[in-house]
Amino acid sequence: MNHAIRIHETGGPEKMVWEEVPLPSPKPGEALVRHKAVGLNYIDVYFRTGLYKAPSMPAIIGMEASGIVEAIGEGVTEVKIGDRVAYATGPIGAYAEARTIKADRLVKMPDAISFEQGAAMMLQGMTAAFLIKKCYAAKAGQTVLIHAAAGGVGLILSQWAKHLGCTVIGVVSTPEKAALVQQHGVDHALLTTDDIPARVKDITKGAMLPVVYDSVGKDSFLTSLDCLAPYGLMISYGNASGPVAIPDLGILAAKGSLYVTRPTLATYTAQRDDLVARANDLFEVVASGAVKIRVNQSYALKDAASAHIALEARKTTGSTILIP
């Protein structure tokens, strides 16, 4: 027997339905994974609402999970039956008790990493990994700004930046979240209601920033540009407040010959060597204790709608998992 959360049409959390679905058999190159935990991420909201288009309907959303390989298809060499594995690079389909997925998208989890940690950290953690290792390689002595610093990616990114020797400015929505992020590597916790560019100017003594990591989108985009030093890089990697309308490129010239990128984890892990490298980067910092994974919320998978409501209301901190 196999159950999953499916959407038959896009819309609000109420569109997610717990249903019995067939148990698939792995095709050549695929593995069947019995999930132990499923990760909750904002990209799930994008697929549910239709901001990102599902390949077909009805659709099983979800990008990230951990579990045990139950069967493998012909030609699979990356994993074997019984392996503890995790994945976070799609395609969608994680909101299920079991699913098939291409074996080259799976990474083996070290024994030190629990299923709960694996489901909670892979998408968010590997996102943080490519952001801070490849998209912009932050260095000791630099000051960086991280929006939504109390969120899943934000908490990991803040700790990782601090581990690398950066001064970390974190932007959050409440004083409670400010206190939380200061326990996780943030040197200066700013509120969304602050005059953020003015605070950054004060903190950096007028130098401003080489990079801003921004997952909020529409509401913070121009503010982020105003925090950058000349030639600075704006990394827009999410749309929590809505998609960004591309401004007149002349804005980038006027504000200091700035750079803007809109990267995705899918691009940065498209090659298996890169996927494994980013996963190993993540396993290393978690195993060393430099980055602690906070699983602050847990819901039954069948109650995924409640988890989405909390996520969209910004009532969650750290990572949230769904248990099949």
Side-chain angles (χ1 to χ4, degrees), residues 179-217:
L180 172 67
V181 299
Q182 287 178 312
Q183 298 168 14
H184 290 81
V186 169
D187 298 284
H188 305 276
L190 310 185
L191 297 178
T192 51
T193 52
D194 290 340
D195 183 339
I196 294 171
R199 292 290 308 277
V200 168
K201 185 175 182 179
D202 181 60
I203 291 166
T204 62
K205 295 180 171 55
M208 308 309 281
L209 304 171
V211 64
V212 171
Y213 298 96
D214 189 337
S215 63
V216 174

PDB file of all heavy atoms in Angstrom, residues 179-217:
ATOM      1  N   ALA A 179      16.564  36.901  18.246  1.00  0.00           N
ATOM      2  CA  ALA A 179      17.279  36.204  19.314  1.00  0.00           C
ATOM      3  C   ALA A 179      17.748  34.830  18.853  1.00  0.00           C
ATOM      4  O   ALA A 179      18.868  34.402  19.168  1.00  0.00           O
ATOM      5  CB  ALA A 179      16.371  36.073  20.535  1.00  0.00           C
ATOM      6  N   LEU A 180      16.900  34.154  18.082  1.00  0.00           N
ATOM      7  CA  LEU A 180      17.257  32.825  17.578  1.00  0.00           C
ATOM      8  C   LEU A 180      18.476  32.878  16.671  1.00  0.00           C
ATOM      9  O   LEU A 180      19.422  32.094  16.833  1.00  0.00           O
ATOM     10  CB  LEU A 180      16.071  32.220  16.825  1.00  0.00           C
ATOM     11  CG  LEU A 180      16.336  30.918  16.085  1.00  0.00           C
ATOM     12  CD1 LEU A 180      16.620  29.785  17.068  1.00  0.00           C
ATOM     13  CD2 LEU A 180      15.156  30.544  15.190  1.00  0.00           C
ATOM     14  N   VAL A 181      18.486  33.792  15.700  1.00  0.00           N
ATOM     15  CA  VAL A 181      19.585  33.807  14.731  1.00  0.00           C
ATOM     16  C   VAL A 181      20.893  34.228  15.385  1.00  0.00           C
ATOM     17  O   VAL A 181      21.972  33.815  14.938  1.00  0.00           O
ATOM     18  CB  VAL A 181      19.269  34.695  13.511  1.00  0.00           C
ATOM     19  CG1 VAL A 181      18.039  34.172  12.784  1.00  0.00           C
ATOM     20  CG2 VAL A 181      19.102  36.160  13.871  1.00  0.00           C
ATOM     21  N   GLN A 182      20.814  35.038  16.436  1.00  0.00           N
ATOM     22  CA  GLN A 182      22.042  35.422  17.129  1.00  0.00           C
ATOM     23  C   GLN A 182      22.673  34.240  17.851  1.00  0.00           C
ATOM     24  O   GLN A 182      23.862  34.266  18.175  1.00  0.00           O
ATOM     25  CB  GLN A 182      21.760  36.573  18.091  1.00  0.00           C
ATOM     26  CG  GLN A 182      21.544  37.891  17.348  1.00  0.00           C
ATOM     27  CD  GLN A 182      21.203  39.043  18.266  1.00  0.00           C
ATOM     28  OE1 GLN A 182      20.340  38.928  19.142  1.00  0.00           O
ATOM     29  NE2 GLN A 182      21.885  40.161  18.088  1.00  0.00           N
ATOM     30  N   GLN A 183      21.889  33.190  18.071  1.00  0.00           N
ATOM     31  CA  GLN A 183      22.435  31.957  18.636  1.00  0.00           C
ATOM     32  C   GLN A 183      23.031  31.058  17.555  1.00  0.00           C
ATOM     33  O   GLN A 183      23.608  30.018  17.864  1.00  0.00           O
ATOM     34  CB  GLN A 183      21.329  31.189  19.372  1.00  0.00           C
ATOM     35  CG  GLN A 183      20.722  31.922  20.551  1.00  0.00           C
ATOM     36  CD  GLN A 183      19.448  31.252  21.058  1.00  0.00           C
ATOM     37  OE1 GLN A 183      19.153  30.114  20.716  1.00  0.00           O
ATOM     38  NE2 GLN A 183      18.694  31.963  21.876  1.00  0.00           N
ATOM     39  N   HIS A 184      22.883  31.468  16.292  1.00  0.00           N
ATOM     40  CA  HIS A 184      23.326  30.621  15.179  1.00  0.00           C
ATOM     41  C   HIS A 184      24.224  31.379  14.205  1.00  0.00           C
ATOM     42  O   HIS A 184      24.118  31.220  12.988  1.00  0.00           O
ATOM     43  CB  HIS A 184      22.106  30.043  14.448  1.00  0.00           C
ATOM     44  CG  HIS A 184      21.374  29.019  15.246  1.00  0.00           C
ATOM     45  ND1 HIS A 184      20.469  29.351  16.227  1.00  0.00           N
ATOM     46  CD2 HIS A 184      21.437  27.659  15.223  1.00  0.00           C
ATOM     47  CE1 HIS A 184      19.993  28.248  16.772  1.00  0.00           C
ATOM     48  NE2 HIS A 184      20.565  27.213  16.190  1.00  0.00           N
ATOM     49  N   GLY A 185      25.119  32.196  14.749  1.00  0.00           N
ATOM     50  CA  GLY A 185      26.160  32.781  13.913  1.00  0.00           C
ATOM     51  C   GLY A 185      25.928  34.193  13.443  1.00  0.00           C
ATOM     52  O   GLY A 185      26.818  34.796  12.847  1.00  0.00           O
ATOM     53  N   VAL A 186      24.740  34.754  13.670  1.00  0.00           N
ATOM     54  CA  VAL A 186      24.458  36.112  13.201  1.00  0.00           C
ATOM     55  C   VAL A 186      25.036  37.133  14.186  1.00  0.00           C
ATOM     56  O   VAL A 186      24.731  37.108  15.375  1.00  0.00           O
ATOM     57  CB  VAL A 186      22.942  36.333  13.013  1.00  0.00           C
ATOM     58  CG1 VAL A 186      22.629  37.798  12.779  1.00  0.00           C
ATOM     59  CG2 VAL A 186      22.446  35.491  11.838  1.00  0.00           C
ATOM     60  N   ASP A 187      25.867  38.034  13.675  1.00  0.00           N
ATOM     61  CA  ASP A 187      26.478  39.070  14.515  1.00  0.00           C
ATOM     62  C   ASP A 187      25.553  40.257  14.712  1.00  0.00           C
ATOM     63  O   ASP A 187      25.533  40.873  15.787  1.00  0.00           O
ATOM     64  CB  ASP A 187      27.782  39.551  13.869  1.00  0.00           C
ATOM     65  CG  ASP A 187      28.813  38.442  13.736  1.00  0.00           C
ATOM     66  OD1 ASP A 187      29.421  38.082  14.756  1.00  0.00           O
ATOM     67  OD2 ASP A 187      28.998  37.929  12.616  1.00  0.00           O
ATOM     68  N   HIS A 188      24.802  40.599  13.671  1.00  0.00           N
ATOM     69  CA  HIS A 188      23.901  41.750  13.719  1.00  0.00           C
ATOM     70  C   HIS A 188      22.537  41.308  13.195  1.00  0.00           C
ATOM     71  O   HIS A 188      22.392  41.015  11.996  1.00  0.00           O
ATOM     72  CB  HIS A 188      24.430  42.903  12.853  1.00  0.00           C
ATOM     73  CG  HIS A 188      25.818  43.328  13.206  1.00  0.00           C
ATOM     74  ND1 HIS A 188      26.100  44.214  14.228  1.00  0.00           N
ATOM     75  CD2 HIS A 188      27.024  42.987  12.662  1.00  0.00           C
ATOM     76  CE1 HIS A 188      27.397  44.408  14.299  1.00  0.00           C
ATOM     77  NE2 HIS A 188      27.986  43.673  13.367  1.00  0.00           N
ATOM     78  N   ALA A 189      21.536  41.250  14.071  1.00  0.00           N
ATOM     79  CA  ALA A 189      20.188  40.846  13.684  1.00  0.00           C
ATOM     80  C   ALA A 189      19.344  42.094  13.438  1.00  0.00           C
ATOM     81  O   ALA A 189      19.121  42.891  14.355  1.00  0.00           O
ATOM     82  CB  ALA A 189      19.557  39.977  14.768  1.00  0.00           C
ATOM     83  N   LEU A 190      18.884  42.281  12.199  1.00  0.00           N
ATOM     84  CA  LEU A 190      18.055  43.421  11.834  1.00  0.00           C
ATOM     85  C   LEU A 190      16.628  42.956  11.601  1.00  0.00           C
ATOM     86  O   LEU A 190      16.388  41.819  11.180  1.00  0.00           O
ATOM     87  CB  LEU A 190      18.583  44.078  10.551  1.00  0.00           C
ATOM     88  CG  LEU A 190      20.075  44.412  10.494  1.00  0.00           C
ATOM     89  CD1 LEU A 190      20.384  45.160   9.201  1.00  0.00           C
ATOM     90  CD2 LEU A 190      20.502  45.218  11.701  1.00  0.00           C
ATOM     91  N   LEU A 191      15.675  43.845  11.868  1.00  0.00           N
ATOM     92  CA  LEU A 191      14.273  43.545  11.610  1.00  0.00           C
ATOM     93  C   LEU A 191      13.869  44.087  10.246  1.00  0.00           C
ATOM     94  O   LEU A 191      14.433  45.075   9.763  1.00  0.00           O
ATOM     95  CB  LEU A 191      13.389  44.149  12.698  1.00  0.00           C
ATOM     96  CG  LEU A 191      13.599  43.633  14.127  1.00  0.00           C
ATOM     97  CD1 LEU A 191      12.672  44.362  15.087  1.00  0.00           C
ATOM     98  CD2 LEU A 191      13.378  42.123  14.203  1.00  0.00           C
ATOM     99  N   THR A 192      12.879  43.457   9.650  1.00  0.00           N
ATOM    100  CA  THR A 192      12.410  43.901   8.336  1.00  0.00           C
ATOM    101  C   THR A 192      11.869  45.324   8.381  1.00  0.00           C
ATOM    102  O   THR A 192      11.805  45.997   7.347  1.00  0.00           O
ATOM    103  CB  THR A 192      11.318  42.956   7.807  1.00  0.00           C
ATOM    104  OG1 THR A 192      10.303  42.793   8.812  1.00  0.00           O
ATOM    105  CG2 THR A 192      11.897  41.592   7.463  1.00  0.00           C
ATOM    106  N   THR A 193      11.488  45.786   9.578  1.00  0.00           N
ATOM    107  CA  THR A 193      10.979  47.156   9.730  1.00  0.00           C
ATOM    108  C   THR A 193      12.094  48.188   9.870  1.00  0.00           C
ATOM    109  O   THR A 193      11.830  49.398   9.848  1.00  0.00           O
ATOM    110  CB  THR A 193      10.056  47.237  10.958  1.00  0.00           C
ATOM    111  OG1 THR A 193      10.746  46.704  12.098  1.00  0.00           O
ATOM    112  CG2 THR A 193       8.779  46.447  10.725  1.00  0.00           C
ATOM    113  N   ASP A 194      13.327  47.748  10.019  1.00  0.00           N
ATOM    114  CA  ASP A 194      14.456  48.676  10.126  1.00  0.00           C
ATOM    115  C   ASP A 194      14.760  49.331   8.782  1.00  0.00           C
ATOM    116  O   ASP A 194      14.375  48.823   7.724  1.00  0.00           O
ATOM    117  CB  ASP A 194      15.719  47.931  10.592  1.00  0.00           C
ATOM    118  CG  ASP A 194      15.641  47.469  12.035  1.00  0.00           C
ATOM    119  OD1 ASP A 194      14.818  48.017  12.795  1.00  0.00           O
ATOM    120  OD2 ASP A 194      16.401  46.543  12.391  1.00  0.00           O
ATOM    121  N   ASP A 195      15.487  50.431   8.834  1.00  0.00           N
ATOM    122  CA  ASP A 195      16.075  51.006   7.616  1.00  0.00           C
ATOM    123  C   ASP A 195      17.345  50.199   7.357  1.00  0.00           C
ATOM    124  O   ASP A 195      18.429  50.537   7.849  1.00  0.00           O
ATOM    125  CB  ASP A 195      16.386  52.491   7.830  1.00  0.00           C
ATOM    126  CG  ASP A 195      16.935  53.155   6.577  1.00  0.00           C
ATOM    127  OD1 ASP A 195      17.443  52.436   5.695  1.00  0.00           O
ATOM    128  OD2 ASP A 195      16.879  54.397   6.494  1.00  0.00           O
ATOM    129  N   ILE A 196      17.200  49.121   6.625  1.00  0.00           N
ATOM    130  CA  ILE A 196      18.282  48.148   6.498  1.00  0.00           C
ATOM    131  C   ILE A 196      19.522  48.726   5.823  1.00  0.00           C
ATOM    132  O   ILE A 196      20.644  48.545   6.329  1.00  0.00           O
ATOM    133  CB  ILE A 196      17.770  46.874   5.794  1.00  0.00           C
ATOM    134  CG1 ILE A 196      16.747  46.186   6.704  1.00  0.00           C
ATOM    135  CG2 ILE A 196      18.919  45.919   5.481  1.00  0.00           C
ATOM    136  CD1 ILE A 196      16.006  45.045   6.067  1.00  0.00           C
ATOM    137  N   PRO A 197      19.404  49.447   4.694  1.00  0.00           N
ATOM    138  CA  PRO A 197      20.627  50.019   4.109  1.00  0.00           C
ATOM    139  C   PRO A 197      21.362  50.957   5.064  1.00  0.00           C
ATOM    140  O   PRO A 197      22.606  50.957   5.106  1.00  0.00           O
ATOM    141  CB  PRO A 197      20.106  50.762   2.881  1.00  0.00           C
ATOM    142  CG  PRO A 197      18.852  50.038   2.508  1.00  0.00           C
ATOM    143  CD  PRO A 197      18.236  49.658   3.821  1.00  0.00           C
ATOM    144  N   ALA A 198      20.609  51.743   5.853  1.00  0.00           N
ATOM    145  CA  ALA A 198      21.246  52.650   6.816  1.00  0.00           C
ATOM    146  C   ALA A 198      21.985  51.863   7.899  1.00  0.00           C
ATOM    147  O   ALA A 198      23.100  52.229   8.297  1.00  0.00           O
ATOM    148  CB  ALA A 198      20.211  53.574   7.436  1.00  0.00           C
ATOM    149  N   ARG A 199      21.347  50.778   8.355  1.00  0.00           N
ATOM    150  CA  ARG A 199      22.007  49.949   9.377  1.00  0.00           C
ATOM    151  C   ARG A 199      23.261  49.290   8.813  1.00  0.00           C
ATOM    152  O   ARG A 199      24.286  49.197   9.488  1.00  0.00           O
ATOM    153  CB  ARG A 199      21.031  48.882   9.885  1.00  0.00           C
ATOM    154  CG  ARG A 199      19.842  49.419  10.686  1.00  0.00           C
ATOM    155  CD  ARG A 199      20.260  49.975  12.050  1.00  0.00           C
ATOM    156  NE  ARG A 199      21.055  49.031  12.813  1.00  0.00           N
ATOM    157  CZ  ARG A 199      20.538  48.038  13.562  1.00  0.00           C
ATOM    158  NH1 ARG A 199      19.214  47.889  13.622  1.00  0.00           N
ATOM    159  NH2 ARG A 199      21.315  47.237  14.246  1.00  0.00           N
ATOM    160  N   VAL A 200      23.179  48.823   7.580  1.00  0.00           N
ATOM    161  CA  VAL A 200      24.345  48.203   6.938  1.00  0.00           C
ATOM    162  C   VAL A 200      25.472  49.219   6.782  1.00  0.00           C
ATOM    163  O   VAL A 200      26.641  48.914   7.039  1.00  0.00           O
ATOM    164  CB  VAL A 200      23.954  47.605   5.568  1.00  0.00           C
ATOM    165  CG1 VAL A 200      25.196  47.218   4.765  1.00  0.00           C
ATOM    166  CG2 VAL A 200      23.057  46.389   5.759  1.00  0.00           C
ATOM    167  N   LYS A 201      25.119  50.429   6.392  1.00  0.00           N
ATOM    168  CA  LYS A 201      26.132  51.476   6.244  1.00  0.00           C
ATOM    169  C   LYS A 201      26.836  51.736   7.564  1.00  0.00           C
ATOM    170  O   LYS A 201      28.067  51.902   7.621  1.00  0.00           O
ATOM    171  CB  LYS A 201      25.483  52.756   5.724  1.00  0.00           C
ATOM    172  CG  LYS A 201      26.479  53.867   5.412  1.00  0.00           C
ATOM    173  CD  LYS A 201      25.770  55.065   4.788  1.00  0.00           C
ATOM    174  CE  LYS A 201      26.773  56.164   4.419  1.00  0.00           C
ATOM    175  NZ  LYS A 201      26.096  57.331   3.776  1.00  0.00           N
ATOM    176  N   ASP A 202      26.054  51.741   8.647  1.00  0.00           N
ATOM    177  CA  ASP A 202      26.627  51.958   9.973  1.00  0.00           C
ATOM    178  C   ASP A 202      27.527  50.789  10.379  1.00  0.00           C
ATOM    179  O   ASP A 202      28.642  50.997  10.872  1.00  0.00           O
ATOM    180  CB  ASP A 202      25.499  52.148  10.989  1.00  0.00           C
ATOM    181  CG  ASP A 202      26.026  52.392  12.392  1.00  0.00           C
ATOM    182  OD1 ASP A 202      26.752  53.388  12.588  1.00  0.00           O
ATOM    183  OD2 ASP A 202      25.707  51.597  13.298  1.00  0.00           O
ATOM    184  N   ILE A 203      27.057  49.575  10.179  1.00  0.00           N
ATOM    185  CA  ILE A 203      27.812  48.381  10.580  1.00  0.00           C
ATOM    186  C   ILE A 203      29.128  48.283   9.815  1.00  0.00           C
ATOM    187  O   ILE A 203      30.170  47.924  10.380  1.00  0.00           O
ATOM    188  CB  ILE A 203      26.956  47.118  10.362  1.00  0.00           C
ATOM    189  CG1 ILE A 203      25.790  47.083  11.352  1.00  0.00           C
ATOM    190  CG2 ILE A 203      27.797  45.846  10.496  1.00  0.00           C
ATOM    191  CD1 ILE A 203      24.714  46.066  11.006  1.00  0.00           C
ATOM    192  N   THR A 204      29.090  48.605   8.533  1.00  0.00           N
ATOM    193  CA  THR A 204      30.284  48.461   7.683  1.00  0.00           C
ATOM    194  C   THR A 204      31.114  49.738   7.601  1.00  0.00           C
ATOM    195  O   THR A 204      32.073  49.801   6.833  1.00  0.00           O
ATOM    196  CB  THR A 204      29.880  48.043   6.257  1.00  0.00           C
ATOM    197  OG1 THR A 204      29.066  49.072   5.679  1.00  0.00           O
ATOM    198  CG2 THR A 204      29.124  46.714   6.260  1.00  0.00           C
ATOM    199  N   LYS A 205      30.721  50.749   8.388  1.00  0.00           N
ATOM    200  CA  LYS A 205      31.403  52.045   8.374  1.00  0.00           C
ATOM    201  C   LYS A 205      31.473  52.630   6.955  1.00  0.00           C
ATOM    202  O   LYS A 205      32.494  53.183   6.533  1.00  0.00           O
ATOM    203  CB  LYS A 205      32.803  51.915   8.979  1.00  0.00           C
ATOM    204  CG  LYS A 205      32.782  51.533  10.469  1.00  0.00           C
ATOM    205  CD  LYS A 205      34.168  51.416  11.041  1.00  0.00           C
ATOM    206  CE  LYS A 205      34.152  51.247  12.551  1.00  0.00           C
ATOM    207  NZ  LYS A 205      33.319  50.103  13.019  1.00  0.00           N
ATOM    208  N   GLY A 206      30.357  52.469   6.253  1.00  0.00           N
ATOM    209  CA  GLY A 206      30.231  53.057   4.927  1.00  0.00           C
ATOM    210  C   GLY A 206      30.696  52.195   3.774  1.00  0.00           C
ATOM    211  O   GLY A 206      30.472  52.536   2.611  1.00  0.00           O
ATOM    212  N   ALA A 207      31.333  51.079   4.053  1.00  0.00           N
ATOM    213  CA  ALA A 207      31.886  50.245   2.981  1.00  0.00           C
ATOM    214  C   ALA A 207      30.817  49.473   2.220  1.00  0.00           C
ATOM    215  O   ALA A 207      31.010  49.123   1.057  1.00  0.00           O
ATOM    216  CB  ALA A 207      32.909  49.264   3.547  1.00  0.00           C
ATOM    217  N   MET A 208      29.701  49.167   2.868  1.00  0.00           N
ATOM    218  CA  MET A 208      28.614  48.357   2.318  1.00  0.00           C
ATOM    219  C   MET A 208      29.102  46.927   2.056  1.00  0.00           C
ATOM    220  O   MET A 208      30.150  46.524   2.543  1.00  0.00           O
ATOM    221  CB  MET A 208      27.992  49.012   1.102  1.00  0.00           C
ATOM    222  CG  MET A 208      27.561  50.471   1.343  1.00  0.00           C
ATOM    223  SD  MET A 208      26.514  50.742   2.815  1.00  0.00           S
ATOM    224  CE  MET A 208      24.921  50.202   2.194  1.00  0.00           C
ATOM    225  N   LEU A 209      28.345  46.148   1.265  1.00  0.00           N
ATOM    226  CA  LEU A 209      28.543  44.702   1.235  1.00  0.00           C
ATOM    227  C   LEU A 209      28.981  44.177  -0.135  1.00  0.00           C
ATOM    228  O   LEU A 209      28.553  44.688  -1.165  1.00  0.00           O
ATOM    229  CB  LEU A 209      27.235  43.998   1.617  1.00  0.00           C
ATOM    230  CG  LEU A 209      26.632  44.400   2.957  1.00  0.00           C
ATOM    231  CD1 LEU A 209      25.234  43.799   3.092  1.00  0.00           C
ATOM    232  CD2 LEU A 209      27.521  43.961   4.110  1.00  0.00           C
ATOM    233  N   PRO A 210      29.779  43.091  -0.131  1.00  0.00           N
ATOM    234  CA  PRO A 210      30.132  42.464  -1.403  1.00  0.00           C
ATOM    235  C   PRO A 210      29.022  41.570  -1.942  1.00  0.00           C
ATOM    236  O   PRO A 210      28.975  41.280  -3.140  1.00  0.00           O
ATOM    237  CB  PRO A 210      31.372  41.635  -1.063  1.00  0.00           C
ATOM    238  CG  PRO A 210      31.174  41.273   0.378  1.00  0.00           C
ATOM    239  CD  PRO A 210      30.499  42.475   1.007  1.00  0.00           C
ATOM    240  N   VAL A 211      28.132  41.097  -1.047  1.00  0.00           N
ATOM    241  CA  VAL A 211      27.100  40.143  -1.472  1.00  0.00           C
ATOM    242  C   VAL A 211      25.906  40.204  -0.526  1.00  0.00           C
ATOM    243  O   VAL A 211      26.054  40.471   0.675  1.00  0.00           O
ATOM    244  CB  VAL A 211      27.673  38.702  -1.507  1.00  0.00           C
ATOM    245  CG1 VAL A 211      28.091  38.226  -0.125  1.00  0.00           C
ATOM    246  CG2 VAL A 211      26.695  37.721  -2.151  1.00  0.00           C
ATOM    247  N   VAL A 212      24.720  39.992  -1.087  1.00  0.00           N
ATOM    248  CA  VAL A 212      23.494  39.813  -0.311  1.00  0.00           C
ATOM    249  C   VAL A 212      22.849  38.517  -0.770  1.00  0.00           C
ATOM    250  O   VAL A 212      22.702  38.274  -1.975  1.00  0.00           O
ATOM    251  CB  VAL A 212      22.511  40.982  -0.504  1.00  0.00           C
ATOM    252  CG1 VAL A 212      21.163  40.661   0.134  1.00  0.00           C
ATOM    253  CG2 VAL A 212      23.070  42.266   0.086  1.00  0.00           C
ATOM    254  N   TYR A 213      22.462  37.672   0.193  1.00  0.00           N
ATOM    255  CA  TYR A 213      21.740  36.431  -0.092  1.00  0.00           C
ATOM    256  C   TYR A 213      20.265  36.667   0.228  1.00  0.00           C
ATOM    257  O   TYR A 213      19.897  36.855   1.386  1.00  0.00           O
ATOM    258  CB  TYR A 213      22.288  35.285   0.765  1.00  0.00           C
ATOM    259  CG  TYR A 213      23.746  34.947   0.520  1.00  0.00           C
ATOM    260  CD1 TYR A 213      24.752  35.473   1.338  1.00  0.00           C
ATOM    261  CD2 TYR A 213      24.113  34.095  -0.512  1.00  0.00           C
ATOM    262  CE1 TYR A 213      26.091  35.152   1.123  1.00  0.00           C
ATOM    263  CE2 TYR A 213      25.449  33.764  -0.737  1.00  0.00           C
ATOM    264  CZ  TYR A 213      26.427  34.293   0.087  1.00  0.00           C
ATOM    265  OH  TYR A 213      27.754  33.983  -0.132  1.00  0.00           O
ATOM    266  N   ASP A 214      19.413  36.662  -0.803  1.00  0.00           N
ATOM    267  CA  ASP A 214      18.026  37.116  -0.642  1.00  0.00           C
ATOM    268  C   ASP A 214      17.037  36.072  -1.155  1.00  0.00           C
ATOM    269  O   ASP A 214      16.961  35.816  -2.358  1.00  0.00           O
ATOM    270  CB  ASP A 214      17.831  38.429  -1.404  1.00  0.00           C
ATOM    271  CG  ASP A 214      16.495  39.091  -1.115  1.00  0.00           C
ATOM    272  OD1 ASP A 214      15.560  38.389  -0.698  1.00  0.00           O
ATOM    273  OD2 ASP A 214      16.387  40.306  -1.319  1.00  0.00           O
ATOM    274  N   SER A 215      16.273  35.487  -0.230  1.00  0.00           N
ATOM    275  CA  SER A 215      15.237  34.521  -0.615  1.00  0.00           C
ATOM    276  C   SER A 215      13.834  35.097  -0.489  1.00  0.00           C
ATOM    277  O   SER A 215      12.854  34.387  -0.705  1.00  0.00           O
ATOM    278  CB  SER A 215      15.337  33.272   0.275  1.00  0.00           C
ATOM    279  OG  SER A 215      15.080  33.616   1.631  1.00  0.00           O
ATOM    280  N   VAL A 216      13.721  36.368  -0.139  1.00  0.00           N
ATOM    281  CA  VAL A 216      12.411  36.974   0.095  1.00  0.00           C
ATOM    282  C   VAL A 216      11.768  37.422  -1.214  1.00  0.00           C
ATOM    283  O   VAL A 216      10.567  37.262  -1.443  1.00  0.00           O
ATOM    284  CB  VAL A 216      12.519  38.145   1.092  1.00  0.00           C
ATOM    285  CG1 VAL A 216      11.182  38.871   1.234  1.00  0.00           C
ATOM    286  CG2 VAL A 216      12.984  37.620   2.448  1.00  0.00           C
ATOM    287  N   GLY A 217      12.556  38.012  -2.109  1.00  0.00           N
ATOM    288  CA  GLY A 217      12.027  38.367  -3.418  1.00  0.00           C
ATOM    289  C   GLY A 217      11.522  39.785  -3.522  1.00  0.00           C
ATOM    290  O   GLY A 217      12.229  40.742  -3.186  1.00  0.00           O
TER     291      GLY A 217
END
